[in-house]
Amino acid sequence: MQIVIQPNADAVAEYGADQFSRLLSKKPDAVLGLATGSTPVALYQKLIGRYQAGELSFAKATSFNLDEYLGLSPEHPQSYRYFMQQQLFDLIDIAPEHTHVPPGNAADPITACHDYETRIEAAGGIDLQLLGIGRNGHIGFNEPSSGLRSRTRVKTLTQATIHDNARFFTEGEYQPHLSITMGIGTILDARKVLLLATGEAKADAVKAMVEGPLSAACPASALQLHQHAVVVLDEAAASKLADLEFYRHIERENQLLLQRLGKS
Ligand code: GLP
């Protein structure tokens, strides 16, 4: 894992946006794996800004989102499809038919999960998968105890996740307890993975992911198996890492090497 520690959440978003910009300039028809939650919003705003400034185009890109609530239609304001339209898709030049979010209203969710995998494969696989992390270490909606080689499937949410995400729902509003999520195996198949975490509330999960054992108890720890996983943290999210200075040292060395190679 490459651990990148940035001074604040804005710098985390900037670093993440640079990863997308670099990929799209090299490969305009890249396949992007996207995420919801509050963490990626700042990154999406930067991508929108770069698109508006004419620096970036998504016209040839394809996207696949990680997950969706089961039982919500795409028009539902709490659905992840709606979130993506509002936060990104409606504000950039990506072709609507190139955007994919698991169908929360599928009549046959099991078949829909299988189809989602088939579509990712048909698109040539994901080039860059963006991730946040839940306080319990979940990625997508792969909750603790998820199979480390799991594929897209229906998952039951933990009470902790339902509680954490309750802030997006108004009182008395139906909040789903089930989801469709890419599996951990699906995420590990992406050619590059970019996980962003900000704020002290994520510090324990980050520590378990980076320095804990590889374990289904912390689904994000599966990224230890990935050949190209970049974890971008602000100071608060990194604050519980034991080897903080070592990670900073490696990153400084990486930057020097890139400078020497003329790639920074
Ligand atoms: C949700 C999403 C995850 C996301 C997590 C953290 O449960 N399914 O993909 O990473 O929340 O969200 P936030 O960034 O709001 O902390």
Side-chain angles (χ1 to χ4, degrees), residues 36-40 66-67 80 132-134 138 140-141 161 165 167 202:
T36 52
S38 46
T39 310
L66 278 171
D67 49 9
Y80 283 170
I133 184 169
H138 74 223
F141 270 135
T161 296
N165 290 351
R167 66 188 193 278
K202 300 293 173 68

Side-chain angles (χ1 to χ4, degrees), residues 87-98:
Q87 299 294 336
L88 186 67
F89 297 153
D90 288 346
L91 305 165
I92 58 172
D93 61 345
I94 196 161
E97 65 278 17
H98 287 173

Side-chain angles (χ1 to χ4, degrees), residues 24-133:
L24 286 164
S25 67
K26 262 193 286 176
K27 188 178 180 187
D29 61 347
V31 180
L32 312 176
L34 300 178
T36 52
S38 46
T39 310
V41 170
L43 181 153
Y44 293 153
Q45 281 168 0
K46 290 190 186 288
L47 294 182
I48 293 162
R50 292 178 191 193
Y51 159 69
Q52 287 171 344
E55 297 164 11
L56 194 58
S57 171
F58 299 83
K60 294 183 179 162
T62 298
S63 73
F64 287 91
N65 260 78
L66 278 171
D67 49 9
E68 178 59 286
Y69 286 114
L70 193 58
L72 298 191
S73 68
E75 301 79 33
H76 192 290
Q78 308 310 337
S79 75
Y80 283 170
R81 162 57 81 175
Y82 188 89
F83 174 98
M84 290 307 298
Q85 294 300 138
Q86 300 290 310
Q87 299 294 336
L88 186 67
F89 297 153
D90 288 346
L91 305 165
I92 58 172
D93 61 345
I94 196 161
E97 65 278 17
H98 287 173
T99 67
H100 304 86
V101 179
N105 58 350
D108 176 353
I110 311 272
T111 304
C113 292
H114 184 256
D115 287 352
Y116 205 65
E117 288 279 336
T118 309
R119 279 170 189 236
I120 294 172
E121 211 184 305
I126 292 170
D127 290 301
L128 177 60
Q129 177 65 57
L130 177 64
L131 296 172
I133 184 169

Side-chain angles (χ1 to χ4, degrees), residues 127-237:
D127 290 301
L128 177 60
Q129 177 65 57
L130 177 64
L131 296 172
I133 184 169
R135 284 194 308 136
N136 62 5
H138 74 223
I139 45 176
F141 270 135
N142 293 285
E143 297 282 33
S145 84
S146 288
L148 296 180
R149 298 181 68 179
S150 49
R151 311 303 304 186
T152 302
R153 69 213 182 290
V154 173
K155 277 298 285 182
T156 305
L157 307 184
T158 59
Q159 280 307 316
T161 296
I162 292 168
H163 175 265
D164 281 353
N165 290 351
R167 66 188 193 278
F168 297 111
F169 293 81
T170 54
E171 215 181 309
E173 190 177 14
Y174 168 67
Q175 187 184 349
H177 292 193
L178 295 174
S179 67
I180 293 181
T181 181
M182 280 186 200
I184 296 175
T186 321
I187 293 168
L188 292 178
D189 281 350
R191 285 183 269 283
K192 185 171 180 177
V193 172
L194 174 69
L195 185 143
L196 309 186
T198 56
E200 211 193 327
K202 300 293 173 68
D204 285 316
V206 166
K207 182 174 174 51
M209 163 178 67
V210 176
E211 295 176 339
L214 171 64
S215 163
C218 176
S221 68
L223 300 184
Q224 293 172 18
L225 293 172
H226 199 280
Q227 287 189 326
H228 206 171
V230 184
V231 173
V232 192
L233 309 169
D234 68 357
E235 295 283 350

